Amino acid sequence: MTTSAGTDWAAWQESWDRQQEWYMPDREERFGIMLDMVEALVGTAPRVLDLACGTGSITARLLRRFPGATSTGVDLDPALLAIAQGTFEGDDRVDLVTADLKDPDWPAKLPYDSYDAVLTATALHWLHSEPLAALYGQVAELVRDGGVFMNADHMIDDTTPRINAAERARRHARMDQAKRDGALDWTDWWQLAAQDPVLGEPTARRFEIYGEHAEGDMPPAAWHARVLREKGFAEARPVWCSPSDTLLLALK
């Protein structure tokens, strides 16, 4: 077995960030607002659950901004978790948990019963509406009173089809130009991971779990806010949006 000794995990994190930014050029802005709201509502040393954490993008930014924070990252993707594990190895502020969010017992694997903040980005659109609503109920039980949940993701308003079409056309024109300039897309990035001596095996397992790409639902922000209130949050609304994405905050 090839070991991870000598693997440049920072380079893999950078590569992942650039690939994600091909889709979301305002990705850092949404992370900044997310952490602004964490500070405003739960302070600068929060206990955070990084939900569907991937490579740990949120956790890395959280700890840079708030060195006194702690983070539990939970995901099922073995390749992205390998990058997270390499990145945060030896950092006792970070716990990483392998769990399937569609498994009703996944919270039992967490090291804590409650969190100041549960944060997630560009991940939950992999779920259909019914399992997502069930997950929101579990999240509501994990967030302490006065704590927050934030989800930054694609939230599509089907009542504005012409606006949606215009936004999509403009976004894809920009993406096509960036691709011509050498940007990696999702497929390109995973092809590189599959060829890596360390990430190749977990990447193969990842595609056994997920296939090429899961097709979930992308309900509008109003749906997310309504369901989160139904599941136990006192308040919920968007705190940031771009032409295509929304950061929705729910307060317990």
Side-chain angles (χ1 to χ4, degrees), residues 53-238:
C53 65
T55 66
S57 298
I58 290 174
T59 293
R61 288 157 178 79
L62 172 79
L63 298 179
R64 280 201 298 268
R65 179 156 169 179
F66 307 127
T70 58
S71 180
T72 302
V74 59
D75 208 302
L76 186 61
D77 189 314
L80 299 185
L81 277 174
I83 296 173
Q85 287 161 352
T87 299
F88 301 110
E89 185 176 6
D91 191 333
D92 60 8
R93 298 172 297 175
V94 180
D95 291 295
L96 294 170
V97 174
T98 300
D100 185 348
L101 297 180
K102 291 181 287 188
D103 178 351
D105 295 326
W106 71 267
K109 295 185 175 183
L110 302 176
Y112 303 105
D113 294 330
S114 69
Y115 289 85
D116 301 308
V118 177
L119 309 177
T120 188
T122 327
L124 300 188
H125 64 269
W126 285 59
L127 297 176
H128 289 289
S129 296
E130 186 174 339
L132 179 56
L135 178 64
Y136 279 173
Q138 293 175 304
V139 168
E141 294 177 0
L142 288 167
V143 174
R144 68 163 172 82
D145 288 345
V148 298
F149 167 68
M150 280 182 271
N151 179 15
D153 211 343
H154 314 306
M155 299 182 188
I156 298 175
D157 188 340
D158 290 332
T159 68
T160 59
R162 290 183 297 166
I163 296 172
N164 297 352
E167 181 280 322
R168 177 180 170 83
R170 180 68 189 88
R171 175 162 43 90
H172 279 264
R174 176 194 58 76
M175 291 166 66
D176 289 345
Q177 182 58 56
K179 191 79 178 339
R180 288 191 292 270
D181 292 339
L184 295 179
D185 65 10
W186 176 266
T187 301
D188 295 333
W189 192 90
W190 281 109
Q191 287 175 347
L192 286 178
Q195 296 163 9
D196 184 79
V198 174
L199 291 178
E201 188 273 334
T203 295
R205 286 192 284 119
R206 181 242 180 247
F207 280 95
E208 290 175 1
I209 294 169
Y210 292 109
E212 287 298 321
H213 201 288
E215 295 297 333
D217 296 328
M218 300 182 192
W223 180 94
H224 292 269
R226 174 180 60 80
V227 171
L228 285 162
R229 287 192 294 266
E230 289 172 355
K231 295 299 183 178
F233 286 92
E235 303 175 15
R237 71 166 177 86

Side-chain angles (χ1 to χ4, degrees), residues 6-64:
T7 299
D8 189 343
W9 297 116
W12 276 109
Q13 288 282 7
E14 177 74 11
S15 176
W16 176 258
D17 284 343
R18 299 292 81 76
Q19 178 258 127
Q20 290 286 284
E21 286 169 357
W22 182 68
Y23 297 93
M24 299 165 288
D26 45 25
R27 184 168 176 259
E28 290 302 329
E29 182 178 345
R30 81 185 61 187
F31 284 144
I33 297 297
M34 179 181 281
L35 296 181
D36 285 346
M37 298 310 296
V38 166
E39 181 173 3
L41 289 164
V42 297
T44 59
R47 176 190 293 168
V48 170
L49 176 60
D50 186 349
L51 195 67
C53 65
T55 66
S57 298
I58 290 174
T59 293
R61 288 157 178 79
L62 172 79
L63 298 179
R64 280 201 298 268

